[in-house]
Amino acid sequence: MKERARVIKKKNGQSLVQIIRTSACSHCDEKCMLADDSHEVEEMEVLVNDPIGAKVGSMVELEMGARPILFSAFVVYLLPLVAIIAGYFAGSSWFSSFISSAEIAGIIGSGLGFLLSFALLRIFDKKAGSKSYFHPEITRVVTHNGFYYDN
């Protein structure tokens, strides 16, 4: 995944960059019902690894490896699914003494497992955010003060 951004501030081998997020429809002049409000442009500030030492004001290219993206997607999409299934079986065995129907107990267990998965995802987000492995990295300087670089 590659993205362009402007360096705003430097911090201990990392840079705070401003990314201009655009939708796939952002270059379209038409106002169609498929795009709805996605014609708007949004800015986002992100702390990224800076191994090349880009200067403040430089336009840079960011890149994030496929492994962190795939691992994060795997966790985000599969953890709730596994929690729902495990919660069903755990609920049907643990709550069956309190609830007469094992299916109702399993459904309650699934709901609790689903809620627990969101708590676990929140913990994962905090841990992953603190590790530089999950941060994008500046790979090259595209421009600095109007001058283009060809790296």
Side-chain angles (χ1 to χ4, degrees):
M1 176 181 92
K2 290 185 180 182
E3 200 69 48
R4 290 212 174 166
R6 182 168 308 281
V7 178
I8 300 173
K9 192 191 283 185
K10 305 285 288 175
K11 289 183 179 181
N12 305 333
Q14 293 184 317
S15 293
L16 184 66
V17 297
Q18 184 178 43
I19 300 172
I20 299 172
R21 297 189 310 180
T22 57
S23 70
C25 299
S26 65
H27 303 292
C28 176
D29 293 331
E30 300 295 321
K31 289 287 186 185
C32 60
M33 67 179 176
L34 294 176
D36 200 25
D37 291 331
S38 66
H39 287 280
E40 297 175 15
V41 175
E42 217 176 297
E43 294 177 353
M44 177 174 61
E45 292 181 359
V46 179
L47 190 63
V48 300
N49 295 329
D50 187 4
I52 63 173
K55 293 182 171 77
V56 173
S58 298
M59 184 65 85
V60 295
E61 190 171 84
L62 306 175
E63 189 169 353
M64 187 164 183
R67 281 188 171 171
I69 293 171
L70 289 174
F71 179 74
S72 297
F74 180 76
V75 170
V76 167
Y77 290 113
L78 287 183
L79 182 65
L81 182 63
V82 168
I84 288 170
I85 294 169
Y88 180 83
F89 290 112
S92 64
S93 67
W94 293 342
F95 300 138
S96 61
S97 60
F98 303 116
I99 300 170
S100 60
S101 173
E103 283 192 25
I104 300 294
I107 291 170
I108 291 171
S110 289
L112 291 174
F114 187 64
L115 293 175
L116 178 66
S117 73
F118 282 110
L120 293 174
L121 285 174
R122 189 171 180 93
I123 293 168
F124 171 75
D125 182 46
K126 290 195 184 296
K127 296 269 185 193
S130 66
K131 295 186 183 207
S132 65
Y133 176 71
F134 290 98
H135 289 222
E137 185 173 275
I138 296 176
T139 55
R140 71 183 185 110
V141 176
V142 179
T143 65
H144 180 67
N145 295 333
F147 297 106
Y148 283 87
Y149 292 100
D150 188 23
N151 293 354

